[in-house]
Amino acid sequence: MSMFCYQCQEASKGVGCSIKGVCGKSPEVSNLQDLLVYTAKGVAVLSQLADEKGIDTAKANKYLIDSLFITITNANFDSNKIVAKIKAGYAIQDELKAQVDAPADLHDSAVYRGNDVNDMESKSLLIGILSTENEDIRSLKELLTYGLKGMAAYGEHAWNLGYENNDIYTFVKKALVATITEGIGADELLPLVLECGKYGVEVMALLDKANTETYGNPEITKVNIGVGTKPAILVSGHDLRDLEDLLDQTKGTGVDVYTHSEMLPAHYYPKFKQYDNFVGNYGSAWWQQTTEFEQFNGPILFTTNCIVPPKDSYKERVYTTGASGFDGCVHFADRVNNAPKDFSAIIEHAKKCAAPTEIETGEIVGGFAHNQVLQLADKVVEAVKGGAIKKFVVMAGCDGRMTDRNYYTDFANELPKDTVILTAGCAKYRYNKLPLGDIGGIPRVLDAGQCNDSYSLAVTALKLQEVFGLDDINDLPIVYNIAWYEQKAVIVLLALLSLGVKNINLGPTLPAFLSPNVVNILVENFGIGGISTVEEDIKSWIA
Ligand code: SF4
Ligand code: SF3
């Protein structure tokens, strides 16, 4: 076995990738990512000691969220960048050691130093996922780690807009340290997993605040899915600050900007509507990029996941920034002192390219984040009380390339006409272009935004609970049919559990990293279930 990774839904054979990642991750990158997480654990150990002494740990905090984010599925495939990040971790550890008077028996993750890639790779094989022998402990540790990765991603976007919450960093450290605590048992890990969900709610609330205070509250918006005649840049991923920098710099250059996949919801924010060259959304969910990028003709900027290893036919048009990276693609460096990133290279590149080839025409509607939905609350409540809306179905989460995800398209199509889908994340691409109609003017697919905007769906549910005077959020006419793929969906799931939501159905398959015993705990305490066939699920959940 040259690597082992089972953090996403596409883990090979539903067990784990051990030769090469289904995502395209090489064993070298996978192993280095394991070592990066290990190094972050060492930083957490020392940073906790520094916190106790009241020493400033801002640098370590940022390091922790950056390094966890880099290891998210489909974010970073660049081994040089990962090695550099590991070495940056060594430097932070050394700085902290000089300040905290570190004890002699520090954990190995805070002591080990790899001199070169070979050293690091050999070490990674000793500290990877399978180094925890007990499968239940391993399962809980990884569930916790993946929740932290998702939390880190959202925390990083908030940080980019100047928003932080120290309690989140404190928890990240506590949880990372727990995963390397000798002899830790399920009785200690399980509460941490649940606590992770609580901080998941906090980090999503923080990012919501950052986004809405910076760019305004999302509003109902029709987004063009056709193309214009000018050369253009396609922006993918989730980072709105990167998009803002790019839009500022493309103004008046004759270069248009389009969103891709999870960047689509940027169109819902008032601030981004002010840019004349912000034309529309191009293409579908992340996994279709290998064909769509060929047809886009212009350069593509990845601000985060999901990257599919690019084909040679368009690789020289792929640029990365932030946590994302790909070997051989130009990477835009981080901001210095909060100054905008310099995107001139990609803008100059775009000027030399043909305009995008049209692959579809029309519009899609979105922008149903909490503020907008609350403005429609009277209408919604009336429709529920009058029986026009019988059920809401939360279908948030991720999309993926496996054909069994056609289930979600069929499910949306087959739902009774008196149901409304609440969505967020790239899962929506399975049904957001279907002609599902509306109920008295309320569209049957209400898109709140990116996966982090699942927070909006929770706020909406809590508001409905209040309006209907219910004691329990589970008494609402809401069914949860969540599609997951990567680790942000893990934090979304844990966040929903921490809000008391029960009977969530998770598909298309349950995570490979959940051991049978851990699955049992989730089933017994939270009623977590899988999916079966569209017919059966609609019958048992809706009828
Ligand atoms: Fe496999 Fe997913 Fe890990 Fe990639 S991220 S190596 S596809 S389990
Ligand atoms: Fe999608 Fe990658 Fe998860 Fe933010 S873009 S939801 S999979």
Side-chain angles (χ1 to χ4, degrees), residues 70 76 78-86 321-325 331 334:
I70 281 175
N76 203 306
D78 187 344
S79 54
N80 290 327
K81 183 150 189 225
I82 299 165
V83 168
K85 201 73 194 170
I86 293 170
T321 191
S324 70
H331 184 84
D334 291 342

Side-chain angles (χ1 to χ4, degrees), residues 3 5-8 10-12 17 21-23 25 73:
M3 61 177 274
C5 178
Y6 64 173
Q7 66 174 357
C8 86
E10 293 184 359
S12 180
C17 300
V22 172
C23 57
K25 194 159 78 169
T73 302

